[in-house]
Amino acid sequence: MRTGAPPANDAQPVLLGNGAQPSPGIQEQDLQRQERFEDELIMDLERDQFVAETSRPVPRAVLSARVTAGLWALRVFVVIVSLMVIYTFVDQLH
Amino acid sequence: MSTPEVAAAPLLGQPRLTDEDRARSRDRARVHNARRHSKRWYLLWLLVGPGILAMLGENDGPSMIAYAADGAQYGLGFFVPFIPVLFAMAYVCQEMCMRVGAVTHRGYGELVLQRYGRLWGWFGAGDLTLTNLVTLVAEFVSIRVGLAYFHLGAGVAVALGLALVAFTLSGGRYWRWERIVLGLALFNGLFLVAAILVKPHVGAIAGSFDFSPFPGGSFNTLLLLLASTIGATVTPWMIFFQQSASADKGMTPSDVKHGRYDTAAGAVLAAIFGLGALIAGAALLTHNGAGIEGFAGAGFPEALSHVAGGAVGTVFALGLIEAGAVAILTISASTAYAAGECVGASHSFNSSPRNAGVFYAANAGIALLAAAVILIPGAPLLSIALNANVLATVLLPVSLVFMVMLANDRGLMGAWVNRRSTNVIGIAVIAFVGLCGAAYGIDSFLQAIHLVGS
């Protein structure tokens, strides 16, 4: 599964246009601006749309014995017919 | 599905959002603005995409050749009403995919794997990879056939297909990828232009809506026709693709209505363009399909240019190039979604290649593998192209059964579960597809081992 924590490279350091490190005051302002921006972005996503949320697996369903048997029967049947189609395809090549 | 504690988690930590969240959030902001200001057409424009791409992506090279071959060998009767019926079936299946993707925000592969067990998830991914690889080879063949009309070779076909994959993957945004592929997909309308250029008899088209005359020939030929025509309309990759793309686009339950419009528009356009290929191919009927027999369908552009004029041949050839190119993009994407979902890696066009390596590698890798196959000297490319749809039809019922199960799972879908009528139609589609695929597979096999005569 994807990990809940976002990748490390998502944390963008705040740099000035010339690449110099900002002063603490400017950095604080930029961080606040960034926080406001991200707050606005968060409001546009539904709660269960976040990567952190969709990374959590959904609980396993309990299938009855009849459903499980039916799925296996269908799977075996499909594999057999697929092998027939592949055999016919190879046979037609000769 | 969600709890307040979990949902609040991204608000507390630093950094709060992933790149994927940010990109999706920007797309959702535009949707919310359009909805807030009642810009109905703009809202529709923002929300269309996965449905049209799934349907027009399935109007791929082998499918258009199959429709044209139907027209050339049997005429318009039976197939003119049959193709729309098949796309109505496709709508029922794809609407379920869209709805499950919008409600759960998860792809088909990961839901099957998590909900029903790893084994079933990997079976599904295995089926998908096999059919996608075969179909992708067929798409490169289709581009090669189209380019051959312009005296260009296999190398150009490979270069064109791979360049498109690389170009569309380079943006790091789902929105960009979707809009580029949508723009290309609209050129599927070239088949309609080809149909108009052959100047069909409108009365004959209208008169063929009574499903007659029924195609003649042997029982096996009829089964092959049904299996390949069904495989030209509904396939496993479409199921994986539309659900995952709907989730990647950021669709929510409030978008389901527009998702239905999107899917319906895709079905209508695909049916019209498919009928275009059928009608263009039918121009060869009076010539007994002359010119296509020896080339197993690959000689259509050339044959059409002799019978109906150079313009028809050119348009049909360009259509085959477009159909192959768009399908390469959508089918590679479905493989990438399935790969990312099954191994639990990031699987979004909104993630960068660095953060979603499996997704991007699978997307480019399967296209590269298929491209390599068509460069093998003496490879049975046309046989592969003709059998691609049949294999997809045979493997489809399992994917459809899980789709119906997911769409009925109240724990996942809540109030958005299937209606009874949707289930009845869905089960009928599964039975019909399963019966046609199995009947062809078994009958062909018995003929191959000489237990029954042809």
Side-chain angles (χ1 to χ4, degrees), chain B residues 2-13:
Chain B
S2 65
T3 62
E5 290 78 19
V6 169
L11 297 167
L12 301 175

Side-chain angles (χ1 to χ4, degrees), chain B residues 388-438:
Chain B
N389 284 343
V390 176
L391 189 62
T393 305
V394 168
L395 290 170
L396 182 62
V398 182
S399 305
L400 286 177
V401 164
F402 279 110
M403 188 71 250
V404 172
M405 286 169 68
L406 287 172
N408 280 289
D409 191 329
R410 202 166 280 280
L412 291 174
M413 299 291 289
W416 293 95
V417 288
N418 273 359
R419 291 178 186 161
R420 186 185 293 267
S421 57
T422 312
N423 281 333
V424 170
I425 299 170
I427 291 166
V429 169
I430 293 169
F432 179 63
V433 170
L435 202 66
C436 288

